Amino acid sequence: MEDIRDILKQYWGYDAFRSLQEEIILSVLSGKDTLALMPTGGGKSITYQVAGLAKEGICVVITPLIALMKDQVEDLKRRQIQAEAVYTGMEREHVESVINKCIFSPVKFLYISPERLASERFRIKLKQMKVSLFAVDEAHCISQWGYDFRPSYLRIAEVRTFFPEAPVLALTATATPDVVEDIQKQLHFTCPNVLSKSFRRENISYVVRNVNDKLGELLHILSKLQASAIVYVRKRNTAEQLARFLSENGVKAGFYHAGLIARQRTQRQEDWKNDITPVIVATNAFGMGIDKPDVRIVVHFDIPDCPEAYFQEAGRAGRDGKRAYAVLLCNPAAVTALKSRITKGFPEKKYIRQVYEALGNYFQIAEGSGAGYAFEFDTDAFVRDFGLDYVRTFSAIQILQVGGYLECTTDINSRSRINFTISREALAYFRPDDDLQNRIIELLMRRYPGIFTQYVWISEDYLAQEAGVKRKEIYEILIALAKRRIISYVPGNERPYIVYHQPRLPVSYLTIGKAAYEDRKKAYASKIKEMVRYIEDSSRCRQLVLMDYFGQKEKKGCGICDVCLETKKHTTSGDKTRIEDEIIAILMNKDTDLKILVHRLEEQFDRELVVATVRNLLDKGKIYYKTPLLLSVKKMNV
Ligand code: ADP
Ligand code: MG
């Protein structure tokens, strides 16, 4: 086995592992099933990647979203590591060729969705591979108690029997204690083994600001700070409006959301990274894979849905270890709105069925077909044409996604691809629907050499320009050609698209089970409650509240959140006497080491204050050092 540090150096150029990475890798390499719990950005990917490289054979990575797969595969390929992905929307032949490659060539990583892993067809092929390790990314999806439950995650463990020697490495950033237990159970861990990194962020000062004028407060904070910042909002147009407002008031700000086209997004991101616009106002589409070390503040202009999301987003501040701030702006109206999200997030089942039906009609899919199809999704047009409500429609799609019926993805990195599925000769016998279709076929053949033998990247915009028609027309023609099985077309996703994981069902057959609906609604409601608690509880250190939520029970407050600072300010002479009394009481009972004394008291009182009081008592001669370290109290002579 190669040394894992050499692997890290060779492929990533990094000199050292971050804390816990090495432990995780060694645990896996010793054959143990392992659950790695690390905050976002902690560097989870490298753990299974280095472990996979160190082992002979192929590492199968199960991950829920196509977007994540593509990112990872591209990243690995850039590092000269052989990686492949199989996902819905790929043409069958392409899937087969990738899978065969995994059987016959030295591919190191295969990324697949849990749905694929469940398919019998795939399992037959899988048995022929030499699987060394199963990595389950975003493993919280396995648990019904989690916030992202995906039913097919439950079936992952079934394939373990093919490879009894291959351990499982499950990774997640967000798991509460019941989820941690569930993950290990569902993945059939041979014995419990959790490696978890502390969720404490020493350098982040968490602050909750209750203000009526959120706008004024935001401007105030950002003008004062003059540093790299992220402002999170919920809605796209809020992002645009806020960025404009800030810019008009002297704070250079850009905005970012999933409605921008890829080029704009990259540009905005670059401008922010290079401090041309030091402030970025963004929806939660912003963040994944972003690793700017010197973000000094993350402001939440709207309240996130759950502590998981809050912790992840706030955690993008201060990666350089220097002091940073995570500020949540709120007021009673915002808290009320937060609570009302439960009903919006879980529209009635009747409504969900209606959306499902509408989608099928919109994409003109016949009942019983559509599995594996991908459609570009113009959300605005869809909602408008069918007289639907935007927010509830999205919630419905989300629930359908959890149910495993379809997936709405807004991947940002990929371009459209086309491959002719019939030969050039056979094409000569094809009768196009109309002249435009004919012209597009010719354009494809002329502009994209190689398109008969493999997938080539195409641009709908370019074709539209060449043909002198609208992009939408091009798109429709390509879809029509795909339906007639002339080409295989994987639309790029500068815009969102919808992938059908299952054939369209008659709507009366559509089941929206308890797991996809009732259980999740309950879990969602309880997360909202936790968020409200975080906001309203001004008696506990914010850092501790968050850690507690993730099952890390500690007592030492951070000393820098608004609650801790407020407590310090209110340390009165009364408190000082109380500390004095406590010290004396402890020492009366037993002579005590200074360190132990401070440690016992710092759970209740500010550490510095304790130390100062000890010094003070020494000065006053009320206590003394019996040995160089042991403190004792002057007993009164009675
Ligand atoms: P996670 O999946 O935990 O959110 P990632 O695996 O995406 O985090 O890693 C976040 C970033 O940290 C990536 O840019 C990665 O290259 C970087 N990183 C991970 N490990 C190290 C390391 N040991 N040294 C330096 N950078 C690292
Ligand atoms: Mg990750």
Side-chain angles (χ1 to χ4, degrees):
M1 192 168 57
E2 253 180 285
D3 185 57
I4 55 175
R5 287 181 199 218
D6 294 342
I7 295 177
L8 183 71
K9 182 77 189 164
Q10 180 188 346
Y11 292 100
W12 282 269
Y14 299 148
D15 291 320
F17 284 108
R18 289 191 186 151
S19 74
L20 210 71
Q21 284 179 327
E22 199 160 7
E23 287 92 320
I24 295 169
I25 298 167
L26 292 174
S27 166
V28 173
L29 291 183
S30 73
K32 282 192 273 196
D33 295 334
T34 307
L35 170 56
L37 211 72
M38 260 192 193
T40 303
K44 286 185 287 299
S45 322
I46 278 186
T47 60
Y48 71 76
Q49 289 164 347
V50 171
L53 287 168
K55 285 177 85 110
E56 209 180 301
I58 186 167
C59 168
V60 173
V61 188
I62 298 123
T63 182
L65 292 176
I66 297 174
L68 294 178
M69 281 184 210
K70 291 187 188 164
D71 282 353
Q72 292 289 335
V73 170
E74 271 174 33
D75 181 75
L76 288 171
K77 283 187 171 162
R78 260 200 307 276
R79 299 179 196 284
Q80 313 299 326
I81 298 169
Q82 288 214 48
E84 297 291 340
V86 174
Y87 45 85
T88 316
M90 269 166 80
E91 196 54 34
R92 181 172 284 176
E93 288 76 21
H94 190 200
V95 172
E96 304 251 300
S97 86
V98 165
I99 291 177
N100 285 333
K101 220 166 158 189
C102 294
I103 298 174
F104 301 110
S105 330
V107 174
K108 289 304 296 179
F109 296 92
L110 172 62
Y111 285 77
I112 57 166
S113 65
E115 286 82 13
R116 174 80 50 179
L117 193 67
S119 95
E120 209 37 54
R121 217 185 145 82
F122 177 78
R123 288 185 178 184
I124 293 169
K125 292 288 188 179
L126 180 69
K127 282 185 194 153
Q128 300 173 45
M129 295 179 201
K130 198 170 170 218
V131 177
S132 62
L133 170 65
F134 289 102
V136 182
D137 205 2
E138 313 295 341
H140 54 273
C141 292
I142 209 166
S143 173
Q144 314 201 21
W145 319 115
Y147 72 113
D148 248 358
F149 177 59
R150 285 275 287 268
S152 40
Y153 260 70
L154 288 176
R155 302 191 51 196
I156 296 175
E158 293 169 4
V159 299
R160 293 202 62 182
T161 51
F162 308 163
F163 307 97
E165 299 297 309
V168 166
L169 172 53
L171 309 125
T172 177
T174 54
T176 49
D178 43 358
V179 176
V180 164
E181 205 171 296
D182 213 16
I183 293 173
Q184 299 178 79
K185 195 175 109 208
Q186 303 292 0
L187 288 174
H188 297 179
F189 270 41
T190 40
C191 65
N193 181 23
V194 184
L195 291 174
S196 127
K197 189 166 162 164
S198 172
F199 281 61
R200 184 184 284 276
R201 292 287 307 268
E202 301 273 6
N203 62 318
I204 295 187
S205 162
Y206 292 99
V207 177
V208 175
R209 270 260 183 284
N210 225 306
V211 282
N212 279 324
D213 178 17
K214 291 199 291 183
L215 219 54
E217 181 70 15
L218 178 69
L219 182 61
H220 171 72
I221 295 172
L222 294 176
S223 343
K224 213 171 63 183
L225 202 70
Q226 301 270 356
S228 185
I230 309 175
V231 180
Y232 277 109
V233 296
R234 274 177 78 75
K235 296 202 179 114
R236 292 175 184 183
N237 52 8
T238 318
E240 299 185 15
Q241 286 160 7
L242 271 191
R244 199 173 324 121
F245 166 79
L246 290 171
S247 302
E248 282 166 8
N249 286 280
V251 176
K252 281 194 204 122
F255 66 87
Y256 184 104
H257 55 62
L260 299 173
I261 63 166
R263 204 171 342 103
Q264 290 171 318
R265 272 188 282 210
T266 316
Q267 187 62 49
R268 297 282 154 92
Q269 208 167 297
E270 284 305 305
D271 286 351
W272 176 71
K273 269 191 185 153
N274 299 323
D275 290 321
I276 295 168
T277 46
V279 176
I280 191 145
V281 189
T283 62
N284 63 4
F286 183 74
M288 232 205 277
I290 283 167
D291 209 6
K292 191 174 197 291
D294 63 343
V295 178
R296 288 274 71 79
I297 184 167
V298 173
V299 182
H300 278 78
F301 193 78
D302 297 312
I303 309 171
D305 288 346
C306 56
E308 281 93 338
Y310 184 63
F311 181 80
Q312 287 196 6
E313 288 162 9
R316 299 197 170 113
R319 291 210 172 161
D320 54 7
K322 295 185 190 144
R323 174 65 65 88
Y325 297 87
V327 179
L328 181 62
L329 298 180
C330 65
N331 52 39
V335 173
T336 310
L338 174 69
K339 290 176 184 160
S340 77
R341 279 183 214 159
I342 301 168
T343 40
K344 286 201 188 115
F346 289 86
E348 287 171 29
K349 289 188 179 178
K350 208 174 111 204
Y351 195 83
I352 301 171
R353 294 207 169 87
Q354 190 186 334
V355 170
Y356 181 78
E357 189 73 350
L359 283 170
N361 294 341
Y362 183 66
F363 298 129
Q364 301 179 1
I365 306 171
E367 280 175 4
S369 70
Y373 286 9
F375 301 93
E376 195 170 319
F377 187 41
D378 184 341
T379 40
D380 294 334
F382 173 69
V383 169
R384 198 182 50 233
D385 290 358
F386 288 84
L388 295 164
D389 171 73
Y390 199 88
V391 175
R392 285 163 77 209
T393 299
F394 259 87
S395 306
I397 291 177
Q398 177 67 28
I399 291 165
L400 290 167
Q401 182 163 320
V402 174
Y405 293 106
L406 42 82
E407 179 181 342
C408 181
T409 140
T410 46
D411 178 13
I412 52 175
N413 292 320
S414 124
R415 288 159 55 199
S416 300
R417 287 174 301 148
I418 286 183
N419 179 205
F420 272 97
T421 47
I422 59 174
S423 67
R424 198 183 276 274
E425 294 71 36
L427 188 62
Y429 296 99
F430 173 71
R431 236 188 259 145
D433 292 337
D434 53 37
D435 179 49
L436 183 58
Q437 201 179 56
N438 194 28
R439 266 166 53 216
I440 300 305
I441 293 175
E442 279 181 1
L443 257 178
L444 286 173
M445 289 164 51
R446 199 148 24 92
R447 298 293 172 195
Y448 301 104
I451 197 164
F452 281 97
T453 50
Q454 64 187 33
Y455 274 95
V456 297
W457 305 115
I458 61 112
S459 155
E460 289 87 348
D461 285 327
Y462 170 75
L463 291 171
Q465 201 184 336
E466 287 287 292
V469 296
K470 289 219 178 68
R471 186 181 190 279
K472 188 158 186 297
E473 289 175 77
I474 296 291
Y475 169 73
E476 276 160 6
I477 286 175
L478 296 177
I479 287 286
L481 289 174
K483 279 191 177 158
R484 292 188 63 183
R485 305 214 168 266
I486 300 304
I487 60 168
S488 159
Y489 172 41
V490 184
N493 29 21
E494 301 226 325
R495 302 174 192 182
Y497 66 96
I498 285 198
V499 179
Y500 273 72
H501 289 313
Q502 293 185 26
R504 177 178 178 185
L505 293 172
V507 76
S508 54
Y509 287 14
L510 189 77
T511 49
I512 301 158
K514 187 162 165 288
Y517 194 86
E518 282 85 0
D519 291 350
R520 285 184 56 248
K521 184 170 178 180
K522 220 164 100 194
Y524 185 67
S526 96
K527 280 171 201 304
I528 298 251
K529 212 169 102 198
E530 292 292 336
M531 246 358 266
V532 174
R533 194 210 304 260
Y534 175 79
I535 291 165
E536 291 181 347
D537 186 352
S538 53
S539 70
R540 287 173 66 208
C541 162
R542 309 261 184 222
Q543 183 99 248
L544 290 183
V545 173
L546 287 172
M547 289 172 68
D548 187 14
Y549 179 79
F550 291 112
Q552 301 183 337
K553 309 231 177 291
E554 285 184 26
K555 286 188 176 149
K556 188 169 169 280
C558 70
I560 54 174
C561 71
D562 57 339
V563 174
C564 285
L565 290 175
E566 193 65 15
T567 317
K568 261 191 209 167
K569 215 162 61 190
H570 288 208
T571 315
T572 55
S573 54
D575 292 323
K576 282 185 196 135
T577 338
R578 264 181 54 222
I579 300 178
E580 271 187 17
D581 291 350
E582 289 279 341
I583 294 175
I584 304 276
I586 293 174
L587 294 182
M588 283 293 233
N589 186 31
K590 196 174 162 226
D591 295 341
T592 309
D593 189 289
L594 171 66
K595 255 205 230 140
I596 295 173
L597 183 73
V598 173
H599 185 70
R600 275 180 66 175
L601 290 171
E602 74 182 352
E603 288 176 3
Q604 278 177 64
F605 304 103
D606 181 53
R607 185 194 156 90
E608 281 162 35
L609 210 59
V610 173
V611 175
T613 314
V614 169
R615 210 179 301 122
N616 193 259
L617 286 170
L618 283 167
D619 288 348
K620 287 198 274 188
K622 286 192 178 172
I623 60 175
Y624 69 101
Y625 277 109
K626 202 171 197 173
T627 70
L629 287 173
L630 210 57
L631 280 167
S632 187
V633 67
K634 287 247 162 72
K635 308 258 170 32
M636 304 274 196
N637 289 325
V638 229

